[in-house]
Each structure stands twice: as C-alpha cells, then as structure tokens.
Amino acid sequence: MTSHGPAGSTPEWTYTSTVGADSTAKAVIRVAGVLTLGSALLALVLPPKSALTGQEALWTPAVVAGLVGLGCALMLLGPRWLRTTAKVDNDAVLLSSSGVRTRVPLEEIESVSNSYLPSGGYGYRYLGKGHRGFISGGPQVDIKLKDGREFTVSVRSVPEFCAAVKAAKEQHETRLSAQAKPPSRDIPS
C-alpha cells in the first residue's frame, strides 16, 4: 500500500496485487516458441516444392518470417500475458489480464470475498452470464457488483486485497458524504 499526498489532505493511496503464472506455464509457452522457431528453420532447410513445377514455393520466405515472428513473440512476450493485476485506488478497482482491462468504481461493489470457484487456465475468462475472470493461478477473490455482475480475480493475498477494498470503500464514502454536506453558516447574534 502506498500513501502520498499533501499534508492535511485526504491521502491518495493504492494497493496493487500482481500475480504471474507459475514457472511450468511459462516454460510451456517458451517451449511453444522454440518449436515454432524450429519449424521456421525446418522450412528454410527443407523448403516445400510446388507439386506442379517441382520448384521451391514462392510463399516460403513469408511463412518463415511469420514463424520466426511468432516464435520470438511466444518466447519473449508470452509469459508477460500470463499475469493478472488488481489495483485498488481511491475511486475504483482496476483489473487487467492478457491485455484486457476493466475499471470497477468502488460505489458499484457490493462485496469482496474469497473465491471457491475452481477456474483453471490463465488470462481473461468468460465464466458465465455476467461473470468474468482475470486468472493467473493462486488464490482468488470474487468481486460482486450491485447490478449482479461478478469478477473472479487472482490476487497475491485474499485477506490483504479484501481489506484494501474495504478501506478504500470507507474512505470513498467518507469523502462523498463530506462533499455532500452543505457548509455550515454561522450567523452572528
């Protein structure tokens, strides 16, 4: 949790939980990248021949370039896509995984609790009508909204995340109620 802001003001703070995939999942993605690069090398060494002319196919360089690009992307960038971030700030909970981002305003959150739903895999998931998942293994929380929607999110620590959302909601409600009160006017007697 990070606090910052001028003295005497309501502190601006955030809580961020980032969960990455386990080493096995990362290894599988990297092996897929190596196999893709191997396919590109094989296409260079043993280029396909045209069935009609018996000459090397004209599309071989494009396929090799595509396979090299895909292999490098899998090896270098693939494991980064297996990460889930849940950030709680003064106004909202920000969720992201596999390039998908969602902002959930604090006033829309009804409850946050430990998730008992077994959701396998990694990345952004459709888990049923109105239910989305930001999954990357490990402990998960369920964020239920007042309109019935629900998010299941991987977090580093369920108790810490739930406490951060509770504290942020309380601070947000206090700030909103302070803004809603009309200023008192002292009338001299």
Side-chain angles (χ1 to χ4, degrees):
M1 205 171 310
T2 307
S3 296
H4 57 279
S9 69
T10 305
E12 299 277 332
W13 64 276
T14 60
Y15 171 86
T16 303
S17 173
T18 301
V19 180
D22 61 7
S23 58
T24 304
K26 290 179 181 178
V28 167
I29 293 292
R30 286 195 171 111
V31 166
V34 168
L35 290 175
T36 305
L37 288 174
S39 299
L41 181 62
L42 188 61
L44 279 176
V45 174
L46 302 170
K49 304 279 185 197
S50 171
L52 297 174
T53 63
Q55 296 185 6
E56 183 178 325
L58 296 176
W59 50 264
T60 302
V63 169
V64 169
L67 288 172
V68 167
L70 178 62
C72 289
L74 284 171
M75 285 179 31
L76 302 174
L77 301 176
R80 294 193 61 164
W81 283 77
L82 302 178
R83 183 182 343 184
T84 296
T85 301
K87 180 179 177 182
V88 181
D89 65 19
N90 286 338
D91 301 317
V93 175
L94 307 163
L95 308 172
S96 68
S97 183
S98 303
V100 177
R101 294 188 174 111
T102 298
R103 181 180 185 277
V104 181
L106 291 173
E107 58 268 5
E108 291 182 16
I109 296 175
E110 183 175 308
S111 67
V112 179
S113 62
N114 191 7
S115 175
Y116 298 101
L117 173 72
S119 51
Y122 298 94
Y124 181 73
R125 294 278 180 266
Y126 173 79
L127 300 172
K129 184 178 179 185
H131 192 176
R132 303 294 184 267
F134 292 82
I135 310 299
S136 60
Q140 299 171 353
V141 295
D142 282 331
I143 302 173
K144 292 185 170 77
L145 305 185
K146 293 175 183 174
D147 65 5
R149 292 181 298 152
E150 186 175 350
F151 295 98
T152 298
V153 185
S154 295
V155 294
R156 202 172 282 285
S157 168
V158 171
E160 283 182 16
F161 184 80
C162 291
V165 172
K166 181 181 177 188
K169 280 186 66 155
E170 289 172 357
Q171 184 179 17
H172 184 71
E173 288 168 4
T174 302
R175 191 171 51 249
L176 288 178
S177 65
Q179 291 173 353
K181 289 182 184 176
S184 63
R185 297 184 182 166
D186 293 334
I187 301 174
S189 46

